[in-house]
PDB file of all heavy atoms in Angstrom:
ATOM      1  N   ILE S 172      90.199  12.888 -75.662  1.00 78.00           N
ATOM      2  CA  ILE S 172      89.867  11.479 -75.407  1.00 78.00           C
ATOM      3  C   ILE S 172      88.722  11.371 -74.405  1.00 78.00           C
ATOM      4  O   ILE S 172      87.754  10.617 -74.613  1.00 78.00           O
ATOM      5  CB  ILE S 172      91.111  10.728 -74.875  1.00 78.00           C
ATOM      6  CG1 ILE S 172      92.198  10.652 -75.947  1.00 78.00           C
ATOM      7  CG2 ILE S 172      90.729   9.332 -74.410  1.00 78.00           C
ATOM      8  CD1 ILE S 172      91.826   9.862 -77.173  1.00 78.00           C
ATOM      9  N   ILE S 173      88.814  12.116 -73.311  1.00 76.00           N
ATOM     10  CA  ILE S 173      87.752  12.094 -72.298  1.00 76.00           C
ATOM     11  C   ILE S 173      86.439  12.608 -72.886  1.00 76.00           C
ATOM     12  O   ILE S 173      85.365  12.031 -72.660  1.00 76.00           O
ATOM     13  CB  ILE S 173      88.166  12.938 -71.073  1.00 76.00           C
ATOM     14  CG1 ILE S 173      89.376  12.302 -70.390  1.00 76.00           C
ATOM     15  CG2 ILE S 173      87.012  13.073 -70.082  1.00 76.00           C
ATOM     16  CD1 ILE S 173      90.016  13.181 -69.328  1.00 76.00           C
ATOM     17  N   PHE S 174      86.519  13.677 -73.664  1.00 79.00           N
ATOM     18  CA  PHE S 174      85.328  14.252 -74.287  1.00 79.00           C
ATOM     19  C   PHE S 174      84.653  13.249 -75.218  1.00 79.00           C
ATOM     20  O   PHE S 174      83.435  13.043 -75.149  1.00 79.00           O
ATOM     21  CB  PHE S 174      85.726  15.506 -75.060  1.00 79.00           C
ATOM     22  CG  PHE S 174      84.677  16.027 -76.003  1.00 79.00           C
ATOM     23  CD1 PHE S 174      83.574  16.709 -75.520  1.00 79.00           C
ATOM     24  CD2 PHE S 174      84.791  15.815 -77.367  1.00 79.00           C
ATOM     25  CE1 PHE S 174      82.595  17.182 -76.389  1.00 79.00           C
ATOM     26  CE2 PHE S 174      83.824  16.278 -78.247  1.00 79.00           C
ATOM     27  CZ  PHE S 174      82.724  16.965 -77.753  1.00 79.00           C
ATOM     28  N   LEU S 175      85.434  12.615 -76.081  1.00 79.00           N
ATOM     29  CA  LEU S 175      84.869  11.646 -77.018  1.00 79.00           C
ATOM     30  C   LEU S 175      84.256  10.460 -76.281  1.00 79.00           C
ATOM     31  O   LEU S 175      83.193   9.952 -76.674  1.00 79.00           O
ATOM     32  CB  LEU S 175      85.949  11.168 -77.995  1.00 79.00           C
ATOM     33  CG  LEU S 175      86.463  12.213 -78.995  1.00 79.00           C
ATOM     34  CD1 LEU S 175      87.585  11.634 -79.840  1.00 79.00           C
ATOM     35  CD2 LEU S 175      85.332  12.696 -79.894  1.00 79.00           C
ATOM     36  N   THR S 176      84.911  10.021 -75.206  1.00 74.00           N
ATOM     37  CA  THR S 176      84.390   8.900 -74.437  1.00 74.00           C
ATOM     38  C   THR S 176      83.022   9.216 -73.856  1.00 74.00           C
ATOM     39  O   THR S 176      82.068   8.442 -73.996  1.00 74.00           O
ATOM     40  CB  THR S 176      85.358   8.524 -73.302  1.00 74.00           C
ATOM     41  OG1 THR S 176      86.628   8.203 -73.853  1.00 74.00           O
ATOM     42  CG2 THR S 176      84.828   7.336 -72.512  1.00 74.00           C
ATOM     43  N   TYR S 177      82.912  10.374 -73.211  1.00 72.00           N
ATOM     44  CA  TYR S 177      81.627  10.753 -72.612  1.00 72.00           C
ATOM     45  C   TYR S 177      80.562  11.016 -73.667  1.00 72.00           C
ATOM     46  O   TYR S 177      79.382  10.713 -73.463  1.00 72.00           O
ATOM     47  CB  TYR S 177      81.811  11.989 -71.726  1.00 72.00           C
ATOM     48  CG  TYR S 177      82.151  11.655 -70.298  1.00 72.00           C
ATOM     49  CD1 TYR S 177      83.471  11.697 -69.850  1.00 72.00           C
ATOM     50  CD2 TYR S 177      81.162  11.272 -69.396  1.00 72.00           C
ATOM     51  CE1 TYR S 177      83.787  11.376 -68.535  1.00 72.00           C
ATOM     52  CE2 TYR S 177      81.472  10.952 -68.088  1.00 72.00           C
ATOM     53  CZ  TYR S 177      82.793  11.002 -67.660  1.00 72.00           C
ATOM     54  OH  TYR S 177      83.100  10.677 -66.365  1.00 72.00           O
ATOM     55  N   GLN S 178      80.956  11.582 -74.785  1.00 73.00           N
ATOM     56  CA  GLN S 178      79.983  11.830 -75.850  1.00 73.00           C
ATOM     57  C   GLN S 178      79.444  10.517 -76.421  1.00 73.00           C
ATOM     58  O   GLN S 178      78.238  10.376 -76.649  1.00 73.00           O
ATOM     59  CB  GLN S 178      80.636  12.659 -76.973  1.00 73.00           C
ATOM     60  CG  GLN S 178      80.883  14.110 -76.624  1.00 73.00           C
ATOM     61  CD  GLN S 178      79.607  14.939 -76.623  1.00 73.00           C
ATOM     62  OE1 GLN S 178      78.513  14.418 -76.666  1.00 73.00           O
ATOM     63  NE2 GLN S 178      79.743  16.254 -76.532  1.00 73.00           N
ATOM     64  N   LEU S 179      80.333   9.561 -76.656  1.00 72.00           N
ATOM     65  CA  LEU S 179      79.898   8.269 -77.202  1.00 72.00           C
ATOM     66  C   LEU S 179      78.990   7.535 -76.216  1.00 72.00           C
ATOM     67  O   LEU S 179      78.013   6.889 -76.611  1.00 72.00           O
ATOM     68  CB  LEU S 179      81.118   7.411 -77.542  1.00 72.00           C
ATOM     69  CG  LEU S 179      81.969   7.913 -78.715  1.00 72.00           C
ATOM     70  CD1 LEU S 179      83.221   7.064 -78.868  1.00 72.00           C
ATOM     71  CD2 LEU S 179      81.172   7.896 -80.011  1.00 72.00           C
TER      72      LEU S 179
END
Side-chain angles (χ1 to χ4, degrees):
I172 294 296
I173 295 170
F174 167 76
L175 292 177
T176 302
Y177 270 99
Q178 287 285 12
L179 292 174

